[in-house]
């Protein structure tokens, strides 16, 4: 009986031993050149060896495209390869910024670019303001001891997991002329509303859909910040009979402010980069009512009958500078949060 019990153990040990030998040999094969390299370049420089593959990958797919894009922005012509494009210097940038008044896109030589800038600014202001306020309200409610709290947290985060194209197609099916919302309106005796054709309604709905799709992510960040606030502060305030609004204003908001800064900056970056939902939902229309700057870059480079890669590249460089400034603001906010 004892022999029968020990037999599987010997088999298992034999299987492990059969795998251990090749692994040990593989480790020795790797160990020898790595030790030789360490003696050659020094222990401190070995870190660069380990990050070199990632750095090469990042350079190939990030730095190189950035360099090519900049080259395109200072060259002209219709050629696709840089060698076929003549150097024009800052001509493309001058074309973009040739305006009588930057506040009046119709006075600009490239009016579609500035209409895209104006629409993006308007969209970002309304979307970020509403997004931050609603995310804060939702996070505060979900941080309370309510029934089915875990369920509602999952529900609010679920749209974040969906593809932007799926989100836009779903809402387009709801908002189109013969869509679900108009069917509900007509069933109640009302008239159809052209939500995606009227300029005012179109801008409202792309803001609404964007908030619906992304609010869960920012709510999660704020909820994590709320849960990090020490509970004894609220207990002390409760013992002093402090009103709830004063507790929120004096305790919750100041301690949550670092998270708020991160949410605001991330929402700004996302708002400036918006493209997917708007492209599928309205296509930039009606006219140029919902044309965003990224959509303008796409159309100028690929969708127009005359493709202007240089002008699109110059517009993307301008956008990149704006995003870089917002990224620096995010890094500064993160460092301030860490110091606090």
């Amino acid at each position: 009986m004892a022999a029968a019990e020990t037999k599987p153990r010997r088999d298992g040990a034999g299987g492990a031993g059969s795998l251990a030998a090749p692994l040990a040999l593989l480790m020795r094969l790797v160990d020898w050149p790595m030790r030789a390299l360490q003696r050659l370049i020094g222990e401190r420089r070995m870190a660069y060896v380990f990050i070199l593959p990632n750095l090469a990958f990042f350079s190939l797919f990030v730095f190189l495209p950035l360099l090519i894009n900049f080259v395109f922005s200072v060259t002209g012509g219709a050629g696709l390869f840089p060698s076929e494009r003549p150097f024009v210097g800052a001509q493309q940038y001058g074309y973009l910024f040739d305006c009588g008044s930057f506040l009046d896109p119709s006075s600009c030589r490239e009016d579609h670019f500035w209409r895209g800038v104006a629409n993006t600014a308007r969209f970002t202001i309304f979307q970020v303001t509403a997004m931050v306020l609603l995310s804060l309200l939702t996070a505060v409610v979900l941080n309370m001891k309510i029934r089915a709290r875990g369920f509602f947290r999952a529900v609010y985060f679920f749209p974040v997991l969906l593809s932007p194209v799926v989100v836009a197609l779903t809402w387009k099916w709801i908002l189109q002329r013969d869509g679900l919302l108009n069917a509900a309106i007509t069933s109640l005796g009302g008239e159809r509303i052209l939500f995606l054709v009227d300029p005012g309604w179109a801008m409202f709905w792309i803001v609404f859909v964007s908030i619906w799709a992304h609010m869960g992510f920012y709510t999660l960040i704020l909820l994590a910040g709320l849960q990090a606030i020490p509970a004894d502060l609220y207990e002390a305030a409760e013992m002093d009979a402090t009103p709830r609004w004063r507790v929120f204003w004096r305790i919750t908001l100041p301690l949550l402010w670092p998270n708020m800064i991160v949410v605001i900056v991330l929402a700004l970056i996302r708002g400036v980069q918006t493209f997917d939902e708007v492209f599928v939902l309205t296509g930039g229309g009606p006219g140029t009512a919902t044309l965003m700057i990224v959509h303008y870059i796409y159309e100028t480079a690929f969708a127009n009958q005359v493709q202007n890669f240089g002008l699109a590249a110059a517009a993307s460089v301008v956008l990149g500078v704006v995003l870089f400034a917002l990224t620096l603001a995010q890094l500064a906010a993160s460092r301030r949060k860490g110091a606090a």
Side-chain angles (χ1 to χ4, degrees):
M1 191 70 180
E5 291 179 353
T6 56
K7 185 176 181 179
R9 297 177 187 175
R10 287 198 299 268
D11 293 340
S18 63
L19 290 175
L23 288 175
L25 178 61
L26 179 62
M27 292 300 293
R28 283 196 294 269
L29 291 175
V30 173
D31 182 69
W32 179 81
M34 295 300 289
R35 287 185 181 275
L37 183 61
Q38 180 176 327
R39 286 193 296 268
L40 181 64
I41 66 175
E43 184 177 349
R44 291 187 176 182
R45 296 177 182 174
M46 283 297 293
Y48 297 102
V49 175
F50 291 107
I51 67 172
L52 187 60
N54 287 334
L55 186 60
F57 185 86
F58 197 76
S59 300
L60 181 62
F61 292 101
V62 177
F63 293 138
L64 183 60
L66 285 175
L67 178 61
I68 294 174
N69 184 80
F70 180 76
V71 170
F72 268 71
S73 72
V74 295
T75 55
L80 181 61
F81 297 100
S83 59
E84 301 173 353
R85 302 177 58 83
F87 178 77
V88 296
Q91 180 179 324
Q92 308 284 8
Y93 297 96
Y95 188 82
L96 286 177
F97 287 93
D98 186 5
C99 284
S101 171
F102 293 114
L103 299 178
D104 181 15
S106 60
S107 69
C108 299
R109 189 175 180 183
E110 188 58 24
D111 61 319
H112 276 202
F113 171 76
W114 289 101
R115 291 185 193 279
V117 171
N119 289 336
T120 302
R122 190 180 306 115
F123 169 85
T124 303
I125 290 171
F126 287 118
Q127 191 249 19
V128 171
T129 303
M131 177 96 74
V132 172
L133 292 177
L134 289 173
S135 298
L136 177 60
L137 177 62
T138 307
V140 170
V141 172
L142 292 179
N143 194 46
M144 296 178 180
K145 295 180 180 180
I146 59 175
R147 298 177 65 180
R149 182 170 60 176
F151 169 77
F152 286 112
R153 288 178 180 178
V155 166
Y156 275 101
F157 189 75
F158 178 73
V160 180
L161 305 177
L162 299 176
S163 164
V165 175
V166 172
V167 170
L169 287 174
T170 302
W171 280 98
K172 189 173 184 178
W173 174 68
I174 295 172
L175 298 172
Q176 61 189 356
R177 186 179 184 277
D178 298 320
L180 187 62
L181 185 54
N182 269 320
I185 292 173
T186 54
S187 67
L188 297 174
E191 296 184 358
R192 285 187 175 91
I193 302 175
L194 302 179
F195 293 112
L196 303 180
V197 176
D198 180 83
W201 276 114
M203 180 60 75
F204 168 80
W205 281 111
I206 64 172
V207 171
F208 177 87
V209 171
S210 179
I211 292 173
W212 181 86
H214 304 289
M215 188 180 74
F217 173 72
Y218 304 108
T219 299
L220 193 65
I221 296 175
L222 295 177
L223 183 60
L226 287 171
Q227 292 177 344
I229 299 176
D232 55 356
L233 296 177
Y234 293 111
E235 293 173 0
E238 187 177 356
M239 292 177 63
D240 293 337
T242 308
R244 288 190 176 182
W245 67 268
R246 191 174 181 85
V247 172
F248 177 80
W249 191 257
R250 293 290 186 178
I251 297 177
T252 304
L253 199 57
L255 294 177
L256 193 62
W257 188 244
N259 296 72
M260 289 282 291
I261 292 294
V262 173
V263 165
I264 291 171
V265 174
L266 289 177
L268 283 171
I269 293 175
R270 172 67 191 178
V272 172
Q273 288 181 310
T274 190
F275 172 71
D276 312 66
E277 293 101 336
V278 180
F279 180 75
V280 176
L281 203 58
T282 66
T288 58
T290 59
L291 178 70
M292 302 296 167
I293 186 170
V294 177
H295 192 177
Y296 165 82
I297 294 170
Y298 164 77
E299 284 192 342
T300 304
F302 305 109
N304 290 346
Q305 187 174 2
V306 179
Q307 298 174 341
N308 193 333
F309 298 118
L311 192 62
S316 66
V317 169
V318 174
L319 177 61
V321 171
V322 174
L323 293 177
F324 182 70
L326 292 176
T327 303
L328 290 179
Q330 180 195 355
L331 292 175
S334 300
R335 288 173 182 171
R336 193 177 297 114
K337 176 185 175 184

